[in-house]
Amino acid sequence: MIPLILERTFVRFLLMSTVVNKKLRGEVLRQRVLETALELFSTCGYFNTSIHDIRREADVSIGSIYHHFGNKEALAKALYDELLERMDAGLREVMERERGCRARCDGIIAFMFRAATDDPRTMRFVLESRHREFLPDEPPVCSSRPFMRMRECIEQGIASGEVCPIEVPVAATAAFGGAIRLVQLHLDGVLEKPLSRYLASMQDAAWRAIASDPPAPAKHLIKETEE
Amino acid sequence: MIPLILERTFVRFLLMSTVVNKKLRGEVLRQRVLETALELFSTCGYFNTSIHDIRREADVSIGSIYHHFGNKEALAKALYDELLERMDAGLREVMERERGCRARCDGIIAFMFRAATDDPRTMRFVLESRHREFLPDEPPVCSSRPFMRMRECIEQGIASGEVCPIEVPVAATAAFGGAIRLVQLHLDGVLEKPLSRYLASMQDAAWRAIASDPPAPAKHLIKETEE
DNA sequence: GTCTATATGGCGATAGAC
DNA sequence: GTCTATCGCCATATAGAC
């Protein structure tokens, strides 16, 4: 264990040495700007937030923001990428930990509920803002990696026979659409109870929608008549 | 000398006709502005659309727009109200036509799919734009009348025993969340096939999620008979 | 009711010292 | 890398003739 006094001295040394100092300070500042942008974008929206607002709230200069990000849109893109990556990491972790489609679906829903509760700002920014309005070249959020991962999970479930063989988009939206919608209700503040109270029954409902085994319905196997 | 009574009548007629003409022209203009606003708001977004854009596209003057709506926000609110009312009318119609929770749920999903296909702009504006960013005093869209109507339908289903007795928010989102999500995929242009091709299996999946009796019959495949 | 011309403010972005 | 001061534009909104 390093004595506090030495640790402090070391930190001070770091701060004093010009090269490291500038880099460190730069990184800290960059993070503070991103954090502030998330706060303001998710509560007021991208267009209601000016660079000056971010400057004031983050207590940095306009110049620094432009130095690090280039322009407002690029700042939003940097934030968006970071949040999607963080979310994707969470989902990857679920997919590695859980085995079987049901356990993974449950895990994904649980992850979303936890994320929406612990960090509503991130969830709000990823789910609710219309990124294409300010990131015109970005593909829709439903084709981002986290959402592709959910879809993948369902495809594997169909392949293994755990999920009944309906069209993939139907199965994927039936599995997670309800949970996503409930998360939105939570973010809009219209739910009486905390999200966690609904977790188990949402997981059950989602699984009933797509599971193959319980009633083993043969409806979808009936040859459809073209109109 | 013209009798006073006739003169009065004639003047009155003139006044009436000019007034009516102006009123008519005004109404036509008002509708053209609303139509244009829907077009631009739903494709470019509220904040990327200027009053000048609307002016140009609708071929009216700035002054007329402000005369009819007061300001940009009020214009958006007028449009929003009109679209919600139109949607609510469609849902009311479904609720009156169909009896039983399953038929009504199917009808609601079918209505949403049809609306998203026939008039994607309306669906995009209602579902996707974040109204609270430009209509700060508006309640969230999930507590608007169309969405309350969906919730009501589920509550009745629980009361009648057709829907299994889980928490209402869970049942409502499980029933319609998948369909709403699929509509969004459609609006984002990431679906291979037209929405209608997914209708029957989406209805089935939605009903499986909330039905109380496990073996849910595929009602849409059964030929309906007049009673 | 409709129009054109104009006012006003705030925004994103830049310049250039340190 | 960070900062302050400032630019130029374009948005919403208004004034006032017709």
Side-chain angles (χ1 to χ4, degrees), chain A residues 123-143:
Chain A
M123 216 59 182
R124 198 170 279 128
F125 187 74
V126 171
L127 274 190
E128 294 203 340
S129 53
R130 309 262 45 99
H131 309 98
R132 299 181 102 169
E133 284 186 20
F134 50 90
L135 300 176
D137 299 333
E138 206 65 13
V141 72
C142 53
S143 44

Side-chain angles (χ1 to χ4, degrees), chain B residues 15-33:
Chain B
L15 281 175
M16 285 285 280
S17 62
T18 49
V19 166
V20 169
N21 263 337
K22 283 197 174 177
K23 264 200 171 177
L24 256 178
R25 238 168 89 72
E27 191 49 36
V28 167
L29 185 148
R30 196 188 132 91
Q31 283 304 317
R32 197 160 67 234
V33 170

Side-chain angles (χ1 to χ4, degrees), chain B residues 14-178:
Chain B
L14 274 185
L15 281 175
M16 285 285 280
S17 62
T18 49
V19 166
V20 169
N21 263 337
K22 283 197 174 177
K23 264 200 171 177
L24 256 178
R25 238 168 89 72
E27 191 49 36
V28 167
L29 185 148
R30 196 188 132 91
Q31 283 304 317
R32 197 160 67 234
V33 170
L34 280 175
E35 166 69 19
T36 308
L38 171 58
E39 176 68 30
L40 294 179
F41 286 169
S42 66
T43 53
C44 314
Y46 175 84
F47 292 102
N48 290 321
T49 303
S50 73
I51 293 286
H52 290 274
D53 293 334
I54 297 173
R55 184 212 69 76
R56 192 184 325 110
E57 209 69 20
D59 196 33
V60 296
S61 69
I62 291 268
S64 293
I65 297 178
Y66 278 93
H67 173 76
H68 280 285
F69 299 99
N71 60 44
K72 187 184 178 187
E73 187 179 317
L75 164 58
K77 169 127 179 65
L79 177 60
Y80 184 58
D81 286 344
E82 186 162 317
L83 297 184
L84 276 188
E85 171 49 34
R86 216 178 291 167
M87 227 180 131
D88 192 47
L91 288 183
R92 275 201 310 270
E93 197 269 324
V94 170
M95 299 293 277
E96 277 167 28
R97 189 182 62 228
E98 306 291 351
R99 293 293 154 202
C101 190
R102 168 73 201 249
R104 283 175 169 172
C105 287
D106 284 0
I108 290 173
I109 294 176
F111 172 76
M112 289 195 293
F113 279 26
R114 204 174 332 109
T117 302
D118 297 346
D119 186 13
R121 302 173 314 169
T122 295
M123 215 58 182
R124 198 171 278 126
F125 187 74
V126 170
L127 273 190
E128 295 203 338
S129 52
R130 301 200 50 197
H131 309 97
R132 299 180 104 168
E133 284 186 18
F134 50 91
L135 301 176
D137 298 332
E138 206 66 12
V141 71
C142 54
S143 45
S144 66
R145 289 178 53 205
F147 285 88
M148 293 314 286
R149 219 166 275 281
M150 295 187 198
R151 185 195 168 102
E152 231 176 80
C153 171
I154 297 298
E155 283 173 328
Q156 293 172 359
I158 294 177
S160 72
E162 291 167 277
V163 172
C164 65
I166 50 182
E167 298 92 333
V168 175
V170 173
T173 54
F176 302 115

Side-chain angles (χ1 to χ4, degrees), chain A residues 21-80:
Chain A
N21 177 15
K22 284 195 173 177
K23 270 201 170 177
L24 253 179
R25 239 168 86 75
E27 191 49 36
V28 166
L29 184 147
R30 196 187 132 90
Q31 284 304 319
R32 197 161 65 234
V33 170
L34 281 175
E35 165 69 20
T36 308
L38 171 58
E39 176 68 29
L40 294 179
F41 286 168
S42 66
T43 54
C44 314
Y46 175 84
F47 292 102
N48 290 320
T49 303
S50 73
I51 294 286
H52 292 271
D53 293 334
I54 297 174
R55 185 213 70 75
R56 192 185 324 110
E57 209 69 19
D59 196 32
V60 297
S61 70
I62 291 269
S64 293
I65 296 178
Y66 278 94
H67 173 77
H68 279 283
F69 299 98
N71 59 45
K72 188 186 177 185
E73 186 178 319
L75 164 59
K77 169 129 180 63
L79 177 61
Y80 185 56

Side-chain angles (χ1 to χ4, degrees), chain B residues 167-186:
Chain B
E167 298 92 333
V168 175
V170 173
T173 54
F176 302 115
I180 291 173
R181 198 84 204 139
L182 201 62
V183 163
Q184 288 177 329
L185 297 195
H186 166 74

